[in-house]
Structures are given as C-alpha cells and as structure tokens.
Amino acid sequence: MNYRHAFHAGNIGDVLKHAVLARVITYLQAKPGGIRIIDTHAGIGLYDLTKGDALKTGEWRQGIGKILDANPPKQIAELLAPWLDVVRGMPENADGLKVYPGSPVLARRLMRPQDRLSVTELHPDDYKRLAELFAGDVHVKAIELDGWNALRGFVPPKESRGVVLVDPAFEETNDFQTLATGIYKAWRRFGTGCYIAWYPIKDRKTVNRFYDAMSQAGIPRIQITELMAAKPRAGGPMTGSGLLMINAPWTLKAELQTLLPWLTKVVAQGAGADWRFFDLTGEIKEG
C-alpha cells in the first residue's frame, strides 16, 4: 500500500481528514491562547490537480470534486465552512478547482497570529517543495525529518495546547503497529493534546487489530470515525478511511453525527457506503 499524498490529494480520505481537522482547529481557537499544530507526515502542502500525480489518478473527482458540486443544507454548510472556505479561497481556484490545499496549507490558513505550525516530511523532494512553500513564514517551521521521530520529539509543545495530525504513507506492512506505538508514546509525553491519526481501510482484520491495540493502551477518550464510499474489496482501490482521535473536542460528536450521513451520501460510490462514529469502550453509532 502506497499512500503518498500527491497521488491522492482531495480524495475521499482527505474529505474526512480535513473536514475534521478544520473543526478541531476551530474549536481550539475558542480560547485566546495560542495553539500548536503539528503535522508529522506533511507531504508537499499544496497539490496541482491539473497535472502530475494528482491528474494521473483523478481521485479528487470522487472526493472534493463531489463536495464542491453538492448543495449542502445550511447546517452542513456552516460546519464545512472552515475547510471549504480555504479550498475555495486559494487564488488558483478563482475560476474553478485547480489546486487542493493539503493539511499544512489548510492549517496555516486557519491559524491566528498567536498560533504556530510545525511540519515534517522525510521524502527529500517533497520536503524541498514544502520548505519552499513556507519560506520566510515565521509562524511555520518545516523540518526534513521522519514523521515518527517528530511524533515522539515535538511534544509537548510550549503552547501546552494543540493538535497533532499523524497521516503516514502506509508503505510498510507494520505501519499500523508503528502508528499505535507512536501515538501511545506521544500521549505519555503530552496527555492533554488532541491527536488525529488517519489510516486507510482496505483490510478489516488489520484495522480491527489496530483498534484492539489502542483499546488496551490505557488511553482514555479515544474515539473512532470512519467514512466508507463503498465496501472495501481485497486488492481493490481504497474506498474508505478512518480517524483515531484522542481528546477530541466534546462538540465533535454531535458535529460528526450531523456531517457524516451527508458526506457519505455525496461521496458514495456503490454498495456499502456508510459511516461510523464510536469510542473504544462502547459503541455510539453503527452505520
């Protein structure tokens, strides 16, 4: 499995990930103190949908393309506004969707003057483009570093409040175990931080083992949300993804229970399109 961001910019996984990230950042900004946003596997930050890897796959058409073409009811539109306002507000998108802002750009555009962003990327070419994107920006620190080392070494931040986004490429067979271990070690150092860990859902047995490992870690307040555009098929393309969240805002449950049915309907690709939101000690909602 290879999930380098450039191939999948704006796809169904980004729909879930970025809608939730924007809601979390917005919630944390209700207090005046600055927050730290840490993106451990940042990619290049901004993706041209008209050429290169994103054009080859065209996955954005099944994700952000469908969302922007839809006509959401007022409540849905308000919840999606922090994310979609950034997408629509990119200068390149003045005459239609041409670029997609990855999580570093989304976070940066949502930040206040007192907030800070730390982004890391290991791939040398991707890091170079990421560093160029934020060159001269005193609010952003870009580092060429393995994201797993950043997850362990960048917490706790001096701001004492913030969100850690972990979005690995899932190129290695043990990435789920590495993710579970990394999240646990980071939580031990920064137990009050909000963590969002993204993962593809292609093999239910692997995902369930990940859930079991996290449920036994002794971490309170772990919640899971999933968005499936279709039932996963062995050897087929990714049709859904999930987020494991620690210390998620208390408002997020109601927001996702409002958002997820609509998002699922819009991005559905066939039988099995569904959503779930639950914690690891008791089911809240089974789609």
Short mmCIF file of all heavy atoms in Angstrom, two decimals, residues 21 25 77-78 80 92 116 142 166 180 210 263:
data_model
loop_
_atom_site.label_atom_id
_atom_site.label_comp_id
_atom_site.label_asym_id
_atom_site.label_seq_id
_atom_site.Cartn_x
_atom_site.Cartn_y
_atom_site.Cartn_z
N LEU A 21 -10.18 17.98 10.80
CA LEU A 21 -9.07 18.83 11.24
C LEU A 21 -9.52 20.29 11.37
O LEU A 21 -9.20 20.96 12.35
CB LEU A 21 -7.91 18.73 10.27
CG LEU A 21 -6.70 19.62 10.57
CD1 LEU A 21 -6.06 19.25 11.91
CD2 LEU A 21 -5.67 19.53 9.44
N ILE A 25 -9.42 22.49 14.87
CA ILE A 25 -8.68 23.75 14.99
C ILE A 25 -9.62 24.88 15.38
O ILE A 25 -9.31 25.70 16.26
CB ILE A 25 -7.96 24.07 13.67
CG1 ILE A 25 -6.83 23.06 13.42
CG2 ILE A 25 -7.41 25.50 13.69
CD1 ILE A 25 -6.16 23.23 12.07
N ALA A 77 -23.40 23.24 5.61
CA ALA A 77 -22.51 24.25 5.02
C ALA A 77 -21.74 25.01 6.09
O ALA A 77 -20.55 25.30 5.92
CB ALA A 77 -23.33 25.22 4.17
N GLU A 78 -22.39 25.31 7.20
CA GLU A 78 -21.71 26.03 8.29
C GLU A 78 -20.61 25.18 8.91
O GLU A 78 -19.54 25.70 9.25
CB GLU A 78 -22.73 26.44 9.34
CG GLU A 78 -23.67 27.55 8.86
CD GLU A 78 -24.77 27.86 9.86
OE1 GLU A 78 -24.92 27.09 10.85
OE2 GLU A 78 -25.49 28.87 9.67
N LEU A 80 -18.91 22.79 7.43
CA LEU A 80 -17.84 22.57 6.46
C LEU A 80 -17.11 23.86 6.08
O LEU A 80 -16.05 23.80 5.44
CB LEU A 80 -18.41 21.93 5.20
CG LEU A 80 -18.93 20.50 5.32
CD1 LEU A 80 -19.52 20.04 4.00
CD2 LEU A 80 -17.84 19.55 5.77
N GLU A 92 -5.57 30.26 -6.93
CA GLU A 92 -5.60 29.45 -8.15
C GLU A 92 -6.99 28.91 -8.47
O GLU A 92 -7.26 28.48 -9.59
CB GLU A 92 -4.61 28.28 -8.04
CG GLU A 92 -3.17 28.68 -7.85
CD GLU A 92 -2.77 28.84 -6.39
OE1 GLU A 92 -3.66 29.04 -5.53
OE2 GLU A 92 -1.56 28.76 -6.11
N ARG A 116 0.97 28.53 15.98
CA ARG A 116 2.18 28.09 15.29
C ARG A 116 1.97 26.71 14.68
O ARG A 116 1.16 25.92 15.17
CB ARG A 116 3.37 28.04 16.26
CG ARG A 116 3.79 29.41 16.83
CD ARG A 116 4.34 30.31 15.73
NE ARG A 116 4.80 31.60 16.25
CZ ARG A 116 4.05 32.68 16.36
NH1 ARG A 116 2.77 32.63 16.00
NH2 ARG A 116 4.55 33.81 16.81
N ALA A 142 9.31 24.18 9.11
CA ALA A 142 9.36 22.96 8.30
C ALA A 142 10.70 22.27 8.51
O ALA A 142 11.76 22.90 8.44
CB ALA A 142 9.17 23.30 6.82
N VAL A 166 -1.36 12.89 12.44
CA VAL A 166 -0.45 11.83 12.02
C VAL A 166 -1.08 11.16 10.79
O VAL A 166 -2.13 10.53 10.88
CB VAL A 166 -0.23 10.79 13.13
CG1 VAL A 166 0.88 9.82 12.74
CG2 VAL A 166 0.10 11.48 14.45
N ALA A 180 0.29 2.79 16.27
CA ALA A 180 -0.20 2.55 17.63
C ALA A 180 0.87 2.87 18.66
O ALA A 180 0.62 3.53 19.68
CB ALA A 180 -0.68 1.12 17.77
N PHE A 210 -5.64 -3.02 14.98
CA PHE A 210 -5.21 -1.69 15.41
C PHE A 210 -6.13 -1.16 16.49
O PHE A 210 -5.68 -0.62 17.52
CB PHE A 210 -5.19 -0.77 14.19
CG PHE A 210 -4.95 0.68 14.49
CD1 PHE A 210 -3.78 1.10 15.12
CD2 PHE A 210 -5.88 1.64 14.12
CE1 PHE A 210 -3.55 2.44 15.39
CE2 PHE A 210 -5.66 2.98 14.37
CZ PHE A 210 -4.50 3.39 15.01
N LEU A 263 -22.06 13.60 4.10
CA LEU A 263 -20.82 13.35 3.37
C LEU A 263 -20.85 11.98 2.70
O LEU A 263 -20.42 11.83 1.55
CB LEU A 263 -19.62 13.44 4.32
CG LEU A 263 -19.26 14.83 4.86
CD1 LEU A 263 -18.14 14.72 5.89
CD2 LEU A 263 -18.84 15.76 3.72
#
